[in-house]
């Protein structure tokens, strides 16, 4: 019998389990579907900080992702692979390491929607406690002693594409903000990373590694949780397939951190979800809730660059170095557009890119189990750009990419520029209808799935609980959710 079972050792789950294990006498079981391993035993490719050199599709698919998981981005597309991390550290073990906070408006907006304790002022102490900022440790809104190191590239070291985008966007009127994690900052910034030197720092490294010797923490890999077990309406444990055997683990409470795709699937298999649909699949509904609804990711598009010369990183790691947050002018939401440089693409040709995405999203999709087998990935449909304001914002983002493509600095470094998978010339004029077709066909995800069990469902505390996808890459927010849940549980227990 455990005090707490945490399901999923990813960004949120590792933080929850490690923080709870700080309490003497508390017994915590962390169950992870993928492999568990100590930091020192991480696959060498995953220790590095160059996302373009991590071969997720080729070498790591079976061990560190869900290789059969697919998702439909828009109504004009067929399902395509969707990447989620698997194993200790979850997606933080395979991600791009960009470490950016959402703006105040997201937190205050969630609080205004009834998410008590989520205003920016409420969560700022946790944001500072979870980081050790290498560049601004003395600022009151930063921390110097937390588990996750944060560091920024220097503007004078920007590589070829980043330097060009920096010059262009400055001329286009975007202000320079040396720290995008400072409250109120916007515009062009060095993209902060959660890494240390040339070493990745996943939540397996930052949270679990220092906690592993604690007597109260047990981590079990290769443990695929099927469902939550209930006594009446109270969660009393989980059923899992662990080491090939069906096992039941008992606990006083269960914290689901299996991510935005798999947490709703576990809840649905447990009878918590849209009752009529669950009955059709042979699941007895316990509670009729819209679990799986509300799914979001940032709708994105890439400006591909055919470069004259390979990118010069000046001996630094080959990763993206810059992001730009800006107002699209559609509605009242600030920072609703974002651009980023993804860094070396690892595709073996002299190419680069600038990605743009809608940062404040209205459209929602669905996660739905396709059957009751826990090994079967759910069906995922994002329905991106279905809300008219998202399409308008997407147009503003594409227009910004067009301006960048047309700039003399870009002509200097790139022989050609092209938008989306269809490689459309940025100069191609489009009517509204043509643009809608182009967008629905070419929109991509940014691997920031969120919102599929929004708050009100207390059993699923990672980014899945947020009312909308944060205006930022989502890893820091997922860790924050884990920190906050642990704080709330510990506070409840200790009074
Ligand atoms: C390729 C990639 C690149 C990214 N790049 C960035 C970036 O640069 N910056 C950024 O901020 N964000 C990035 N993200 C997004 C960010 O990493 C995620 O939003 C964040 O890690 C999600 O945290 P989570 O705890 O919700 O889920 P995860 O970290 O995905 O953890 C979920 C865990 O649950 C486990 N699990 C699932 N189902 C079960 C089950 N049935 N039983 C037991 N365990 C289960 C999984 O194996 C996984 O370990 C990226 C994501 C990906 C995939």
């Amino acid at each position: 019998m455990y005090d707490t079972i945490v399901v999923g050792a990813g960004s949120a789950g590792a933080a929850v389990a490690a923080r709870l294990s700080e309490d003497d006498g508390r017994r915590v079981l962390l169950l992870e579907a993928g492999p568990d391993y100590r930091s020192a035993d991480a696959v060498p490719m995953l220790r590095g900080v160059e996302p373009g050199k991590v071969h997720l599709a080729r070498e790591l698919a079976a061990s560190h992702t869900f290789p059969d998981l697919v998702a439909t981005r828009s109504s004009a597309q067929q399902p395509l692979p969707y990447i989620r991390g698997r194993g200790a550290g979850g997606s933080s073990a395979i991600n791009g390491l960009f470490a950016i906070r959402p703006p105040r408006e997201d937190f205050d907006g969630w609080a205004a929607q009834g998410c008590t304790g989520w205003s920016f002022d409420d969560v700022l102490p946790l944001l500072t406690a979870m980081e050790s900022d290498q560049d601004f440790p003395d600022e009151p809104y930063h921390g110097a002693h937390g588990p996750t190191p944060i560091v920024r590239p220097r503007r004078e070291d920007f590589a070829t594409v980043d330097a060009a985008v920096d010059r262009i966007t400055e001329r286009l009127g975007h202000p320079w903000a040396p720290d995008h994690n400072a409250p109120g900052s916007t515009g062009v910034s060095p993209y902060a990373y959660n890494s240390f030197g040339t070493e990745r720092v996943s939540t397996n490294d930052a949270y679990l590694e220092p906690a592993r010797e604690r007597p109260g923490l047990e981590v079990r890999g290769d443990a695929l949780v099927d469902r939550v077990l209930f006594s009446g309406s109270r969660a009393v444990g989980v059923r899992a397939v662990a080491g090939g055997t069906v096992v039941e683990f008992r606990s006083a409470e269960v914290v689901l951190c299996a991510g935005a795709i798999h947490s709703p699937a576990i809840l649905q298999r447990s009878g918590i979800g849209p009752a009529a649909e669950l009955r059709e699949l042979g699941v007895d509904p316990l509670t009729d809730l819209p679990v799986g609804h509300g799914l979001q990711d940032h709708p994105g598009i890439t400006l591909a660059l055919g470069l004259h010369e390979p990118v010069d990183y000046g001996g630094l790691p080959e990763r993206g170095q810059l992001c730009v947050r800006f107002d699209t002018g559609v509605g009242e939401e600030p920072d609703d557009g974002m651009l980023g440089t993804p860094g070396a693409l690892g595709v073996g040709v002299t190419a680069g890119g600038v990605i743009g995405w809608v940062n404040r999203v209205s459209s929602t999709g669905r996660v739905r189990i396709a059957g009751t087998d826990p090994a079967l990935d759910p069906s995922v449909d994002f329905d991106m750009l279905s809300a008219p304001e998202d399409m308008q914002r997407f147009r503003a983002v594409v227009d910004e990419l067009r301006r960048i493509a047309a700039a003399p600095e870009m002509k200097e470094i790139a022989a050609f520029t092209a938008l989306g998978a269809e490689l459309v010339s940025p100069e191609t004029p489009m009517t509204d209808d043509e643009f809608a077709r182009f967008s629905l066909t070419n929109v991509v995800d940014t691997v920031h799935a969120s919102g599929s069990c929004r708050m009100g469902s207390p059993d699923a505390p990672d980014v899945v609980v947020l009312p909308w996808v944060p205006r930022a890459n989502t890893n820091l927010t997922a860790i924050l959710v884990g920190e906050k849940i642990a704080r709330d549980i510990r506070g409840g227990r200790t009074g």
Side-chain angles (χ1 to χ4, degrees), residues 7-14 31-34 51 56 66 83-100 191 194 203 223-226 257-260 262-263 266 269 374 446-450 462-464 472-479:
V7 178
S11 301
L31 295 174
E32 166 54 46
L56 287 173
F66 291 82
I83 302 174
R84 294 285 87 193
R86 192 168 157 275
S91 296
S92 79
I94 60 166
N95 72 8
L97 295 163
F98 297 117
I100 175 168
Y191 226 152
N194 54 288
T203 54
L224 179 70
V225 170
D226 174 8
C257 296
H262 294 99
S263 281
I266 296 171
R269 286 196 297 271
T446 56
V447 280
H448 296 153
S450 307
D462 39 24
V463 282
V464 305
N473 310 56
T474 42
N475 188 42
L476 280 191
T477 311
I479 299 173

Side-chain angles (χ1 to χ4, degrees), residues 101-362:
R101 297 174 179 175
R104 172 183 283 277
E105 286 78 7
D106 277 340
F107 296 109
D108 291 349
W110 299 330
Q113 293 244 328
C115 303
T116 308
W118 273 95
S119 75
F120 180 75
D121 293 337
D122 287 332
V123 299
L124 184 58
L126 288 172
L127 285 167
T128 59
M130 65 193 236
E131 67 175 12
S132 52
D133 195 298
Q134 314 288 299
D135 302 311
F136 302 101
D138 300 325
E139 295 294 349
Y141 43 84
H142 278 307
H145 307 292
T148 303
I150 307 286
V151 65
R152 295 155 190 77
R154 297 187 322 163
R155 193 178 194 183
E156 54 271 33
D157 292 336
F158 278 177
T160 320
V161 174
D162 308 78
V165 175
D166 183 15
R167 284 197 299 275
I168 297 165
T169 49
E170 185 172 43
R171 208 184 45 254
L172 291 175
H174 299 285
W176 173 252
D179 174 15
H180 55 45
N181 288 340
S185 77
T186 187
V188 192
S189 299
Y191 226 152
Y193 315 116
N194 54 288
S195 58
F196 198 77
T198 54
E199 290 272 302
R200 169 180 293 271
V201 181
S202 70
T203 54
N204 186 35
D205 309 315
Y207 284 90
L208 291 182
E209 189 59 33
R212 285 193 184 257
E213 306 302 335
R214 291 181 195 145
L217 177 64
E218 183 181 340
V219 185
R220 278 190 74 156
D222 189 23
L224 179 70
V225 170
D226 174 8
R227 64 190 64 189
V228 181
L229 303 171
F230 287 93
S231 169
S233 61
R234 182 164 182 81
V236 292
V238 299
R239 180 186 302 161
V241 183
T245 310
V246 177
V247 193
E248 291 192 352
F249 299 96
R250 298 280 161 175
S251 61
E253 67 200 348
V254 176
V255 184
L256 282 192
C257 296
I261 306 301
H262 294 99
S263 281
I266 296 171
L267 284 174
Q268 290 172 11
R269 286 196 297 271
S270 309
I272 299 173
E277 290 176 19
L278 296 185
R279 271 194 209 95
E280 277 173 27
L281 291 165
V283 177
D284 281 339
L286 277 179
T287 315
D288 186 10
L289 280 175
V291 169
H293 293 236
L295 177 71
Q296 293 188 330
D297 194 336
H298 297 120
I301 187 160
T302 300
L303 175 69
L305 311 172
L307 301 170
H308 296 300
E309 308 271 341
V311 175
D312 180 5
Y313 284 93
L316 293 170
E318 299 182 359
R319 49 184 173 173
Q321 299 169 322
L322 161 146
C323 69
V324 185
R325 290 164 303 160
F326 64 101
D327 297 353
T328 65
V330 178
E332 304 285 306
E333 299 281 1
D335 289 335
D336 57 344
M338 182 146 174
L339 310 175
T341 47
L345 304 177
V347 291
V349 294
T350 310
V354 183
I355 183 163
W357 71 65
V358 175
N359 213 21
R360 177 68 173 89
V361 182
S362 302

